[in-house]
Amino acid sequence: MNGASVWFPVSMRADETGRLEGVLPDLGKRIFKAFDISVEVGPAFPWKRLFVMMDNGQLDVIAGAFHTEERKEKYGFSLPVMTEEIAVFIPRAMTAKPGSLTDLAGLNGIKPFGASYGAEFDRLAAEFLSIEAPPFDDFETYMGLLIDGKADYLVMPRRYGQETIEAMDAQDHVEALSWPAAVNTLHFMFSRASPCIQLLDDFNETLDQLISAGQAESLLEAYTVKKLAR
């Protein structure tokens, strides 16, 4: 199993140990433990490389990915675990605040490399917008491009965008627009080249039980409190 290394609170690496933690990895470990299956968590890799490893059967499960129709054709998806709001971040100095995605037409935008925010967003982006995805794995680099005026807006998950702004002490320079660019569900994604795909139905049954028992919500709250306590 593996996942994103810098996606609060979905999936991230602990600074001290490099251990993968977050709502999705923690739930995944609990479920596989219930099956008496040991879990080996891989090291940090670029997001796009994880997909190549899934295609080759070198990786069984990604703990935390958005569902898209294109991905559904290639991978098995768990039940939705949580929702994630995608936000548009702009420089505070921008005078005319965009009120919708189509208002971003004519501006130069960026998004994390390999990110897909759902069919509707991707369609509108391809039709109306100019968005580049530079190949960085550090979200602070993307935020830095916005702060330095090298992009007009940044599209990324709202929770982690706010976390990045706070970590960079950039509250006076960047703000998130109030409306969502998209609202997506987060899932475990199983490789169809792996025998683990045969576990998907049983995995979903146990996942549904844990979600119904409030464990996903409890983990989300715990990581939020942990962040606030720092």
Side-chain angles (χ1 to χ4, degrees), residues 96-104 177-180:
K97 311 295 184 186
S100 67
L101 282 177
T102 53
D103 288 345
L104 300 175
L177 296 174
S178 60
W179 49 270

Side-chain angles (χ1 to χ4, degrees), residues 42-140:
F45 286 122
W47 183 241
K48 292 285 268 188
R49 183 173 174 184
L50 295 183
F51 284 78
V52 173
M53 295 173 70
M54 291 275 282
D55 294 342
N56 295 335
Q58 298 171 288
L59 177 62
D60 301 303
V61 180
I62 289 180
F66 292 138
H67 177 280
T68 68
E69 289 302 315
E70 181 181 0
R71 290 176 181 175
K72 185 180 178 181
E73 293 178 1
K74 298 180 66 175
Y75 311 109
F77 278 83
S78 75
L79 297 171
V81 178
M82 56 187 284
T83 58
E84 182 80 314
E85 186 172 292
I86 307 304
V88 177
F89 295 84
I90 62 169
R92 284 197 178 273
M94 183 180 287
T95 53
K97 311 295 184 186
S100 67
L101 282 177
T102 53
D103 288 345
L104 300 175
L107 301 176
N108 295 316
I110 52 175
K111 67 175 183 175
F113 186 62
S116 177
Y117 297 142
E120 181 64 14
F121 175 88
D122 291 346
R123 181 188 67 79
L124 287 171
E127 187 173 351
F128 296 107
L129 307 182
S130 174
I131 303 181
E132 295 184 1
F136 304 122
D137 279 324
D138 182 353
F139 282 12
E140 290 192 6

Side-chain angles (χ1 to χ4, degrees), residues 13-217:
R13 302 275 169 182
D15 292 337
E16 307 81 15
T17 64
R19 183 174 62 89
L20 191 68
E21 59 181 27
V23 177
L24 275 291
D26 289 1
L27 278 176
K29 292 170 190 174
R30 293 179 188 182
I31 293 171
F32 285 117
K33 184 177 180 179
F35 296 161
D36 198 25
I37 294 175
S38 60
V39 176
E40 179 181 341
V41 176
F45 286 122
W47 183 241
K48 292 285 268 188
R49 183 173 174 184
L50 295 183
F51 284 78
V52 173
M53 295 173 70
M54 291 275 282
D55 294 342
N56 295 335
Q58 298 171 288
L59 177 62
D60 301 303
V61 180
I62 289 180
F66 292 138
H67 177 280
T68 68
E69 289 302 315
E70 181 181 0
R71 290 176 181 175
K72 185 180 178 181
E73 293 178 1
K74 298 180 66 175
Y75 311 109
F77 278 83
S78 75
L79 297 171
V81 178
M82 56 187 284
T83 58
E84 182 80 314
E85 186 172 292
I86 307 304
V88 177
F89 295 84
I90 62 169
R92 284 197 178 273
M94 183 180 287
T95 53
K97 311 295 184 186
S100 67
L101 282 177
T102 53
D103 288 345
L104 300 175
L107 301 176
N108 295 316
I110 52 175
K111 67 175 183 175
F113 186 62
S116 177
Y117 297 142
E120 181 64 14
F121 175 88
D122 291 346
R123 181 188 67 79
L124 287 171
E127 187 173 351
F128 296 107
L129 307 182
S130 174
I131 303 181
E132 295 184 1
F136 304 122
D137 279 324
D138 182 353
F139 282 12
E140 290 192 6
T141 302
Y142 292 102
M143 197 65 72
L145 293 175
L146 187 62
I147 294 170
D148 293 341
K150 295 179 180 178
D152 297 316
Y153 64 91
L154 166 62
V155 185
M156 66 180 291
R158 185 180 298 277
R159 272 184 289 239
Y160 197 71
Q162 296 288 11
E163 165 83 353
T164 304
I165 290 171
E166 292 174 16
M168 298 176 69
D169 196 23
Q171 296 91 332
D172 293 337
H173 304 285
V174 182
E175 65 177 304
L177 296 174
S178 60
W179 49 270
V183 180
N184 293 327
T185 53
L186 274 161
H187 306 253
F188 291 90
M189 197 166 68
F190 282 66
S191 168
R192 295 194 184 277
S194 162
C196 282
I197 191 69
Q198 300 172 21
L199 297 170
L200 185 53
D201 287 343
D202 290 337
F203 185 95
N204 272 332
E205 183 177 346
T206 304
L207 175 61
D208 187 45
Q209 293 170 0
L210 295 183
I211 293 173
S212 297
Q215 291 202 28
E217 186 176 343

